[in-house]
C-alpha cells in the first residue's frame, strides 16, 4: 500500500463531514496533531441539518446501519458509541407498499421476516428469503476486508482469492439476476434490489456485489439516533475535540501551499494559514484536484449518480405510518431508463417517505409530526436532446406533485394538511458543491468501483489524500466512516483491523 513518506506529525483535514471526522479520530488515536477545517458552523457534511419553526430536520441520511463501524470509529481514541449516542433499533426496517395495494413490513429479525414473507407471498418464497439472507451475509463477509475496507493502488489489487469467491457467488452478475435466483415474487425482488439506486445504478445493471447494501439494512438492522442523524457528527466531533483535535468551524479553504509535489500549508479565505506535513481533503474530487492544479486522466469521463428532490413537511401528529415507508409505483424497469439513461423525471416514481418523529417525537413541536418525501430525479449533467430542468423555478411545483402522489398512495389528505418546511433539489446540492447536483456523488458502475473509482491518493502529490463519497469505498454512512480510516491509513500506515469489523446482525435477532 502506498503511504505518505516523511514526517506526518501535523495533519490538516479539510471538511468535518463523516469521513473527515473519522479520519481525524483515527489520526488523533495514532498520535498525530490534527486540525479540521470546516466552512460551515457545524459538523456533518452530507449529513446536514436545518432548523425550521421548531422542527429539527436531517437533510442527508435518515438512519444508521452497521453500528459496529461507528463503534470502531469512536474506539480509535478510546471512546465508545454507548458513551456518545443513544441508538434506537427500528423494529421494522421499512414498510413497503405496492401499486396493487399489498403491503410488506421488512424486518431484520430472521423469524419475524420469515413469518412476514410467508404471509405476504407463501411458504416457498419464505424459504427463498432464508437462502437469500444467507447469500447476502456470505457476500458481505467475503467483501469487507478485501474490497470495502481496503486501500487499492491498482486494479491488480483485487486479484486475490476473494475475487474468485465473489465470482463464484455471482457477484459480477446483476443485482436483479441474483435476487431473482432466490425470489420469484416480483414485489419481493424489488424490496431486496432497489437499494442499488443508492449506488446510482439500476438493479438490472448494478453489480450483485452491491447487494451488500441490502445486507446492511435488511439483515444487520437499521438504527436511529435520538436527536436525529445529526447527533452522529455532533458525537464524533465531541469525541475528536476531547481527543485533542482542533476543530475550526467557519474556515473555508482558499488554497494549498506547495513545495514541489508536497503540500506545506493550507490557507483559508479568512486569512489563516495552517502548516502541515500531510492533508486529507474530503471535498469532491474535482475540487481537490483544482486545489492541486491538475486534472486526473481517465479514458471515460466519470458519471454522476441520479439526484433527488426531498420535501420536508410538518403536519398534525398522529400520522399512521412508521419511520420509513417505501411506496413503489406500478412501473419499474422503465422508470430507471427514464431516470438514468434518458435523464428525465420518472413517470411513475417510487418514493421514500420518512417520519423520524415515529421514533423521536422531540424532532417536531408538540402535537406535530415531521415528514420527508424523497423522489429520485436526474442529476444536472447535460444529456443530448433533453432540456435541463430549472430547479430554481420547478422545485416547488414538483414538490407539490410528489406530495400529491404520496397522498394518493399512502397518506390521504397529505397535500392539503402539510406545511412545507423546506424543499431540496439538485440546484441546492449543486450550491453545496456536490458533483452534478447529486448528494450520491459518482455512480458505482463497473468502471467506477473499487480500484476504478477515483483513488484516494492522487499520483500528483506526495502527501495529500482524499476521503469521502467521491473516492473509495463510496457512498453511504458506513462507507464514509471507512473512507476516513482508509485515508488515515495512507498517512500512518495501516493498523490491524479485525476480520469481523462491521459485521453485525448475522445469526441474531437484530431489530
Amino acid at each position: 500500500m502506498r503511504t505518505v513518506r516523511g514526517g506526518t506529525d501535523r495533519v490538516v483535514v479539510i471538511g468535518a463531514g463523516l469521513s473527515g471526522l473519522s479520519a481525524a479520530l483515527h489520526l488523533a488515536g495514532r498520535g498525530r496533531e490534527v486540525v479540521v477545517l470546516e466552512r460551515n458552523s457545524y459538523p456533518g457534511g452530507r449529513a446536514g441539518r436545518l432548523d425550521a419553526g421548531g422542527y429539527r430536520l436531517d437533510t442527508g441520511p435518515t438512519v444508521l446501519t452497521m453500528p459496529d463501524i461507528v463503534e470502531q470509529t469512536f474506539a480509535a481514541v478510546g471512546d465508545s458509541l454507548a458513551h456518545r449516542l443513544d441508538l434506537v433499533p427500528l423494529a421494522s426496517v421499512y414498510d413497503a407498499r405496492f401499486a396493487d395495494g399489498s403491503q410488506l413490513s421488512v424486518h431484520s429479525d430472521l423469524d419475524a421476516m420469515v413469518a412476514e414473507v410467508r404471509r405476504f407471498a407463501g411458504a416457498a418464497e419464505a424459504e427463498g428469503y432464508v437462502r437469500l439472507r444467507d447469500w447476502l451475509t456470505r457476500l458481505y463477509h467475503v467483501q469487507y476486508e478485501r474490497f470495502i475496507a481496503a486501500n487499492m493502488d491498482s486494479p491488480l489489487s483485487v486479484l486475490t482469492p476473494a475475487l474468485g469467491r465473489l465470482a463464484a457467488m455471482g457477484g459480477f452478475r446483476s443485482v436483479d439476476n441474483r435476487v431473482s435466483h432466490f425470489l420469484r415474487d416480483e414485489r419481493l425482488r424489488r424490496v431486496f434490489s432497489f437499494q442499488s439506486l443508492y449506488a446510482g445504478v439500476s438493479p438490472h445493471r448494478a453489480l450483485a456485489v452491491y447487494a451488500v447494501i441490502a445486507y446492511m439494512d435488511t439483515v444487520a438492522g437499521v438504527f436511529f439516533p435520538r436527536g436525529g442523524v445529526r447527533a452522529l457528527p455532533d458525537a464524533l466531533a465531541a469525541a475528536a475535540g476531547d481527543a485533542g483535535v482542533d476543530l475550526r468551524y467557519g474556515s473555508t479553504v482558499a488554497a494549498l501551499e506547495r513545495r514541489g509535489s508536497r503540500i506545506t500549508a493550507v490557507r483559508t479565505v479568512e486569512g489563516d494559514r495552517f502548516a502541515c506535513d500531510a492533508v486529507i481533503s474530503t471535498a469532491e474530487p474535482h475540487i481537490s484536484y483544482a486545489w492541486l492544479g491538475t486534472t486526473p486522466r481517465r479514458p471515460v469521463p466519470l458519471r454522476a449518480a441520479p439526484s433527488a428532490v426531498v420535501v420536508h413537511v410538518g403536519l398534525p401528529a398522529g400520522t399512521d405510518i412508521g419511520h420509513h415507508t417505501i411506496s413503489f409505483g406500478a412501473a419499474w424497469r422503465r422508470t430507471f431508463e427514464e431516470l438514468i439513461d434518458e435523464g428525465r423525471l420518472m413517470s411513475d416514481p417510487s418514493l421514500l417517505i420518512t417520519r423520524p418523529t415515529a421514533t423521536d417525537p422531540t424532532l417536531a413541536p408538540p402535537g406535530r409530526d415531521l415528514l420527508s418525501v424523497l423522489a429520485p430525479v436526474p442529476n444536472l449533467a447535460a444529456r443530448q436532446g433533453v432540456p435541463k430542468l430549472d430547479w430554481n423555478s420547478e422545485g416547488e411545483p414538483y414538490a407539490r406533485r410528489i406530495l400529491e402522489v404520496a397522498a394518493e398512495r399512502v397518506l390521504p389528505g397529505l397535500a392539503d394538511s402539510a406545511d412545507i418546511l423546506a424543499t431540496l433539489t439538485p440546484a441546492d446540492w449543486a450550491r453545496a458543491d456536490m458533483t452534478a447536483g447529486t448528494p450520491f456523488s459518482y455512480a458505482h458502475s463497473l468502471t467506477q468501483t473499487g480500484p476504478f473509482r477515483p483513488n484516494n491518493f492522487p499520483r500528483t502529490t506526495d502527501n495529500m489524500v482524499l476521503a469521502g463519497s467521491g473516492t473509495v469505498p463510496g457512498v453511504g454512512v458506513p462507507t464514509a466512516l471507512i473512507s476516513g480510516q482508509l485515508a488515515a491509513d495512507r498517512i500512518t500506515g495501516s493498523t490491524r483491523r479485525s476480520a469481523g469489523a462491521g459485521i453485525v446482525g448475522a445469526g441474531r435477532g437484530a431489530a
Side-chain angles (χ1 to χ4, degrees), residues 22-286:
S22 171
L25 285 163
H26 285 285
L27 289 168
R30 301 173 197 179
R32 270 48 178 191
E33 178 184 326
V34 184
V35 175
V36 178
L37 305 179
E38 170 55 53
R39 65 183 178 182
N40 290 320
S41 60
Y42 51 83
R46 279 175 164 79
R49 64 188 68 185
L50 178 65
D51 294 336
Y55 296 89
R56 290 184 289 161
L57 285 58
D58 285 323
T59 60
T62 58
V63 291
L64 297 182
T65 59
M66 311 309 295
D68 280 14
I69 294 174
V70 181
E71 182 69 75
Q72 180 178 307
T73 307
F74 283 115
V77 292
D79 214 317
S80 70
L81 187 157
H83 175 232
R84 296 290 181 176
L85 279 177
D86 182 7
L87 282 189
V88 181
L90 303 188
S92 175
V93 174
Y94 40 75
D95 296 319
R97 303 199 183 193
F98 303 91
D100 64 1
S102 57
Q103 299 182 27
L104 175 77
S105 182
V106 179
H107 302 275
S108 57
D109 177 83
L110 174 61
D111 294 338
M113 191 59 188
V114 168
E116 179 67 356
V117 174
R118 184 182 294 115
R119 176 201 66 80
F120 182 79
E125 291 296 86
E127 293 174 5
Y129 160 72
V130 173
R131 291 187 289 111
L132 171 63
R133 182 185 177 103
D134 175 70
W135 179 78
L136 290 171
T137 303
R138 289 186 290 112
L139 185 73
Y140 185 83
H141 280 244
V142 170
Q143 284 192 72
Y144 184 80
E145 285 289 333
R146 298 300 307 175
F147 301 104
I148 298 175
N151 278 309
M152 302 179 191
D153 290 326
S154 80
L156 298 178
S157 303
V158 303
L159 298 180
T160 68
L163 183 68
R165 290 195 292 272
L166 275 182
M169 294 179 67
F172 299 104
R173 299 178 186 177
S174 73
V175 169
D176 182 69
N177 174 281
R178 295 309 298 154
V179 173
S180 299
H181 179 75
F182 301 101
L183 300 171
R184 301 179 67 87
D185 189 291
E186 191 268 345
R187 297 166 301 172
L188 286 175
R189 293 203 301 265
R190 291 190 187 190
V191 167
F192 292 98
S193 65
F194 83 90
Q195 294 90 346
S196 69
L197 189 57
Y198 298 145
V201 188
S202 152
H204 311 98
R205 296 183 181 176
L207 296 176
V209 293
Y210 282 106
V212 295
I213 305 174
Y215 166 84
M216 290 179 179
D217 55 20
T218 68
V219 178
V222 171
F223 302 78
F224 187 73
R226 294 198 187 278
V229 175
R230 66 171 72 184
L232 174 60
D234 285 349
L236 293 171
D242 288 348
V245 173
D246 184 2
L247 292 148
R248 300 291 186 102
Y249 298 108
S251 295
T252 303
V253 172
L256 307 177
E257 292 184 12
R258 299 181 66 168
R259 183 177 299 120
S261 58
R262 202 167 182 89
I263 310 301
T264 57
V266 179
R267 289 190 284 111
T268 69
V269 171
E270 294 74 25
D272 295 316
R273 180 183 181 274
F274 298 89
C276 60
D277 300 310
V279 175
I280 292 177
S281 174
T282 69
E284 292 278 49
H286 72 277

